[in-house]
Amino acid sequence: MGTLFGTDGIRGIANESLNNNLAYRVGLATAYQLRKEVGRRPMVAVGKDTRISSDMIEAALSAGLCAGGATVVQLGVVPTPAVAYLTVTHHADTGIVISASHNPYQYNGIKMFSAEGFKLNDQLEEAIERMVLSTGELPVAPGPEQVGQIYNGHFALEGYTYHLLGTVTQEISDLRVLIDCANGAASKTARRIFSRFNMGVMYLHDQPNGVNINDHCGSTHMEELAERVVSGCYDLGIAFDGDADRCLVVDEKGQTVDGDKIMAICAAHLKAQGKLKNNGFVATVMSNLGLHRFAEAQGMELPCSAVGDRHVLELMQKKGMVLGGEQSGHIIFLDHMTTGDGQLAALQFLQIVSQAMVPVSQLAAQVPQYPQVLQNVKAPLEKAAKEALLETPAVRQAIAEAEASLGGDGRVLVRPSGTEALIRVMVEAGTQELAEAAAATVVRSVENAQN
C-alpha cells in the first residue's frame, strides 16, 4: 500500500486533500502509464456516486485523462461494480470510480479497475502514484491532435442491470421487501432491478441531493430500516452503501444479518447445488468465530485473508473459490462479477429466501455468532504513525492482557484503518461482558499512548 493509494484507492476530503489538482494529475499520470502499457490511445470508463463533489472530481480527472491522450467514456452515476463490469464489456483499458463508498459526503475517492475488471495491479498503481507525487509538470499528449475526447456512456448501465438479472436462476416471488439505497448509486439502479420480480418492494433513502449519501441510512446506519421492517411487517430489509458494493440484511424481527451470515447461507446453498468450488469460501480475519464454527459443521473450508476486498479476491483466486467477502457486506460472487456487488448479493440471497419457505431469522439462526465488540480509536492518518502506535510497549501489553482475559475462548484483533485516521479494535468472547471489558482495556491503552 502506497502513500497515495490506500487499501481501497485514493480517499480524502473533497476540495481539501482530494482536490481538483490531484484529480487532474491522477488523470494525466494514468493516461501516460496506460499509453506506455497498451501502445496506443487508451480508453478509460469513468463512473461516480451521488456526492456533491463527484461532478467536480469527474471533470478534473477527465480533463487530465484527455490532456494525457486518453479517450474517456463517462458512465454517470453508477454502482462501483457496474464500472468493473462495463470496463470489461466495453473493452476499456481501465475503469475509474469516483466514490468514497460508505463514508460521509465530505469524503470522496478515486478507485481503479484493470481491463479485466479486477483491482489495478500494484505495479501500475505504484507507477501512477510516483508520477502524481513527483514535483513539477507531468507530460501531456504530444500535439493537439493527440488530445483525448469525452463520450457519454450513460446508456451502458442497462447492460449491467440485465447482467445482474441474468444471474437469477430460481423464482423470486411472494416476498415483501424494504430496500435502503443510502441516497447513493443504488438510487439509480435498484428499481430497475428489484421491481422486475413478483415481490412487494418499497424503497427508502433513494432521493440523493449530494449531501445526504450515507447520512443515517444505508448499510452503516441500519436503525431506521430495522424499525420500518418490523412496523411494516416486511419479510426482510436490504441496505446498500453509497456505491452499492455492499449489502446487509435485516430480518423480519429487525435483527441485522451481516456479511458473514449472508455468505454462510449462500455457501450452504451453493454446496447443495454442487456449485461451491473447492468446497469452501473466503472470509477475513474480522469474520466472527461463529462463521468458523458453521463452516466446520458443514464440512466446508474457510480460509481467511487480511481485511479488504483486494485481499479477499487474491485468496479466492489462489484457492480456486467462487465465493468470498467481509462481515461488512462486501461479497464477491466470482462466477458472476469480478468485485463485490451489493445488488448481486441481494439477488442471490433473495433467491434462497424465496425458495426456503422459512423466515429470514430462521435461516440466519443456522450461523452462530459470538458476542463481538467493535470500537474505533482516533489516531494519526499516516500509516507509519498508526503502526508505530500499535508497537508501543503499553499497547502491546494491553492487547496481551485482553487476550488472556478471554480464557482461550475468543480473540482480540487490533489493526490500523487503511482509509481513515482510526485504529480499529475488535474483540470476540464467550459473553458480551468479557468482550466489552477486553475492548475497553485495549482502547484505553491506545488513547493513553497518544497523550
Side-chain angles (χ1 to χ4, degrees), residues 94-118:
T94 194
I96 301 180
V97 185
I98 299 163
S99 172
S101 189
H102 59 283
N103 292 131
Y105 83 90
Q106 295 93 335
Y107 290 83
N108 217 322
I110 299 173
K111 179 161 61 176
M112 299 188 185
F113 292 102
S114 70
E116 295 75 34
F118 298 110

Side-chain angles (χ1 to χ4, degrees), residues 41-42 62-72 141 143-151:
R41 180 191 294 277
S62 297
L65 288 165
C66 288
T71 297
V72 178
E145 71 281 357
Q146 296 297 316
V147 170
Q149 293 178 286
I150 297 175
Y151 294 92

Side-chain angles (χ1 to χ4, degrees), residues 4 69 101 112 158 190-191 202 213 252 283 304 379 434:
L4 187 62
S101 189
M112 299 188 185
E158 276 305 303
R191 276 189 168 80
M202 296 294 290
I213 186 171
E252 77 285 356
C304 288
L434 272 176

Side-chain angles (χ1 to χ4, degrees), residues 340-379:
D341 189 322
Q343 292 173 117
L344 172 61
L347 287 173
Q348 303 311 303
F349 189 76
L350 284 169
Q351 287 185 99
I352 298 169
V353 174
S354 182
Q355 300 298 314
M357 304 300 290
V358 297
V360 175
S361 61
Q362 192 169 327
L363 278 176
Q366 302 173 56
V367 189
Q369 188 161 19
Y370 273 57
Q372 184 183 77
V373 174
L374 293 169
Q375 292 192 24
N376 293 323
V377 188
K378 289 184 179 179

